Amino acid sequence: MVATELVVAGSAFIGAAGMWWMRHSGAGARPITAQDIAAQAPAELRTAVTILADPMQTNLMFEALGLGSRNDGFPHVDGYDYDESGLHIDVMMLGGQKPKDWNNDDILAQFATYFQVPKVTALSPEPSWVRLQVRVFDTLAAPATSPKAVHNEVDLEAVPVGITEYGALWLLKILYVHILLAGAMGSGKGSVLWSILRGVGPAIKTGLVDVWVADPKGGAEFGRGENRLFVRFTVDTASILAMLREAVELMDERLVRMRAAGIRKLVPTIDEPLILIIIDEAAALSSYADRNEQEEFRRLTGLLLSKGRAAAVSVVAALQDPSKETMPNRQLFPVRIGLRLDEPTQNAMVHGQGAKDRGARCHEISDQTPGVGYVGEDGSTEFVRVRAFWVDDTAADAIVDAYSPAPEIAGPTTDYSDFDPDDLGDDDGSLSGVAA
């Protein structure tokens, strides 16, 4: 659904509760009632608009939900308007109220019952305010089709990997960040990772990005890119740890050169490309390897995460269980993507304390929408709901074919040093068989 704007006789409908519109049509002007406003609303939102357009009904609802009273006053509905998913309502809370008073599951379920809609969510965009989202349309219900391969320059700080719930491209920063990707089995982690590879594909082909992959599942997910799309590809614990040691050495060498040259942040070049390290199923090393291997993995990833960004070394770690035991260095990931998770408490494991109150509800994502998730970044308290492009085996093969760098030709495979261009192959030197 495209965001709409109601117009009443040339006046934009802004939906502020308690505001009654007058039809300015000359003689016989009459008040615009709540029923008039609701009649112009989409059928799925008609009940909600009827309540919100009538302050008396709005306050009765708040009183029934324990969010206001005649003695203590009522929350102030500052405005409401349509958006792609339904309707959003901006409310100033009463003094003493907290976001969790509005964002608990019981209250949200009662809002949904009052509005006669499938779902209502809430977040607190700023102190003293809450935004209710009346959701009747899921703009991310359908799979996001991956665009065809493109061959142009890539902005490594804005890589397209999917769409947002508002219909815009989901642009993910890859350079100078590390990314934590968490999601239950079947939540779409593979599509996110392959979408990242597709997004940086042109830079891989030109040598501006080198991809190093650790695939502890034996290569089942990424084996098709071995010796083609990836500069390094490892599948067992010993080789993965060796790869990470090599990455740490390369990073440290870069940092020494940067310090000598007075460079604070390395700009990738073909000579010194972005090193993009993808670690799939990180728990295989952080939790399920033997103790010495676990400690070494945590040490190496800790070094990469704490020092790698300025040196153009980025880590993308994917896992099913986002607990601290599984990924102890998770606080060092500035970008965090939470796909469908099994438990409400896992929201905080990925996005920090209070994530649920701020709108991240990964545990409510349907298992029928793989690739849907909430993205959070350091420096922002809000989350973006997104869906990664769907990448099946055929699409993954196409990514490998499109963006694998051409193999280097070391030299001729046959010795042509004795070739005589005048020798036509006739022993007697005649020109028999050649037209005169």
Side-chain angles (χ1 to χ4, degrees):
M1 174 184 177
V2 178
T4 58
E5 182 181 66
L6 285 180
V7 176
V8 181
S11 298
F13 168 70
I14 63 172
M19 192 171 290
W20 299 84
W21 292 94
M22 299 296 293
R23 188 183 302 277
H24 299 290
S25 55
R30 68 174 182 83
I32 300 299
T33 67
Q35 288 70 29
D36 292 329
I37 296 173
Q40 299 184 57
E44 298 88 347
L45 294 168
R46 203 157 289 159
T47 298
V49 172
T50 299
I51 293 172
L52 294 168
D54 184 343
M56 184 176 295
Q57 290 197 54
T58 305
N59 289 343
L60 285 173
M61 177 183 66
F62 287 149
E63 188 167 23
L65 297 183
L67 296 171
S69 69
R70 293 176 178 82
N71 292 330
D72 299 328
F74 295 97
H76 170 64
V77 177
D78 184 66
Y80 56 91
D81 206 348
Y82 298 110
D83 57 26
E84 287 81 355
S85 62
L87 193 72
H88 63 260
I89 311 159
D90 290 322
V91 185
M92 177 180 284
M93 296 181 286
L94 287 177
Q97 290 184 341
K98 302 177 290 296
K100 67 180 181 181
D101 296 328
W102 294 72
N103 201 25
N104 69 74
D105 293 340
D106 289 341
I107 288 293
L108 294 177
Q110 291 180 64
F111 270 122
T113 299
Y114 263 95
F115 293 146
Q116 296 182 19
V117 298
K119 186 176 184 180
V120 176
T121 60
L123 58 88
S124 181
E126 55 184 287
S128 301
W129 289 86
V130 65
R131 170 167 288 185
L132 299 174
Q133 182 71 59
V134 181
R135 296 184 177 273
V136 295
F137 307 106
D138 186 357
T139 57
L140 298 179
T145 303
S146 178
K148 294 181 179 179
V150 294
H151 301 277
N152 52 16
E153 293 186 0
V154 176
D155 183 352
L156 295 174
E157 297 187 68
V159 174
V161 295
I163 59 173
T164 73
E165 66 176 332
Y166 302 111
L169 276 177
W170 171 21
L171 301 176
L172 187 61
K173 187 175 182 179
I174 305 297
L175 179 63
Y176 307 132
V177 299
H178 304 301
I179 301 169
L180 179 64
L181 171 63
M185 185 179 299
S187 62
K189 294 189 296 296
S191 284
V192 176
L193 296 175
W194 277 106
S195 292
I196 290 173
L197 291 169
R198 181 216 159 272
V200 301
I204 296 174
K205 192 173 184 67
T206 60
L208 196 62
V209 173
D210 282 353
V211 181
W212 300 21
V213 173
D215 188 352
K217 292 186 293 187
E221 181 67 43
F222 296 101
R224 54 177 41 88
E226 184 177 9
N227 297 324
R228 298 189 63 197
L229 194 66
F230 311 137
V231 173
R232 301 283 189 279
F233 183 76
T234 54
V235 297
D236 61 85
T237 301
S239 61
I240 290 172
L241 293 176
M243 182 188 77
L244 295 177
R245 290 189 199 97
E246 183 181 354
V248 169
E249 291 174 3
L250 182 149
M251 173 189 70
D252 287 340
E253 291 170 358
R254 283 187 174 182
L255 291 171
V256 169
R257 292 195 297 272
M258 290 168 60
R259 182 169 64 250
I263 299 172
R264 297 179 61 187
K265 185 181 289 187
L266 180 71
V267 177
T269 64
I270 293 176
D271 292 330
E272 290 202 285
L274 165 65
I275 305 299
L276 177 59
I277 302 172
I278 295 177
I279 306 173
D280 192 24
E281 299 299 343
L285 295 104
S286 63
S287 296
Y288 308 138
D290 68 43
R291 183 175 298 277
N292 290 334
E293 291 169 337
Q294 290 180 35
E295 292 178 355
E296 180 69 351
F297 176 75
R298 295 178 183 185
R299 183 185 74 83
L300 294 170
T301 53
L303 290 170
L304 292 169
L305 293 171
S306 60
K307 300 195 296 181
R309 287 192 289 166
V313 177
S314 296
V315 176
V316 179
L319 43 79
Q320 293 184 37
D321 176 11
S323 66
K324 187 174 182 180
E325 291 74 19
T326 302
M327 183 50 70
N329 298 314
R330 63 189 184 190
Q331 75 280 2
L332 297 177
F333 291 90
V335 177
R336 294 167 295 278
I337 305 168
L339 304 181
R340 177 175 55 83
L341 296 170
D342 293 326
E343 302 292 338
T345 55
Q346 292 178 323
N347 284 299
M349 294 178 186
V350 177
H351 290 304
Q353 294 299 321
K356 181 181 172 183
D357 294 338
R358 291 182 281 120
R361 305 181 75 87
C362 302
H363 62 291
E364 294 182 357
I365 298 173
S366 169
D367 60 4
Q368 301 301 307
T369 56
V372 170
Y374 293 87
V375 182
E377 295 189 34
D378 284 355
S380 174
T381 60
E382 297 187 11
F383 300 98
V384 181
R385 187 168 173 262
V386 299
R387 187 164 191 175
F389 294 128
W390 171 249
V391 182
D392 58 15
D393 289 346
T394 300
D397 287 335
I399 291 170
V400 174
D401 291 340
Y403 300 123
S404 293
E408 295 183 6
I409 300 176
T413 57
T414 304
D415 184 4
Y416 293 102
S417 59
D418 295 332
F419 175 69
D420 183 357
D422 296 324
D423 182 1
L424 299 179
D426 296 318
D427 293 336
D428 58 0
S430 66
L431 298 177
S432 58
V434 179

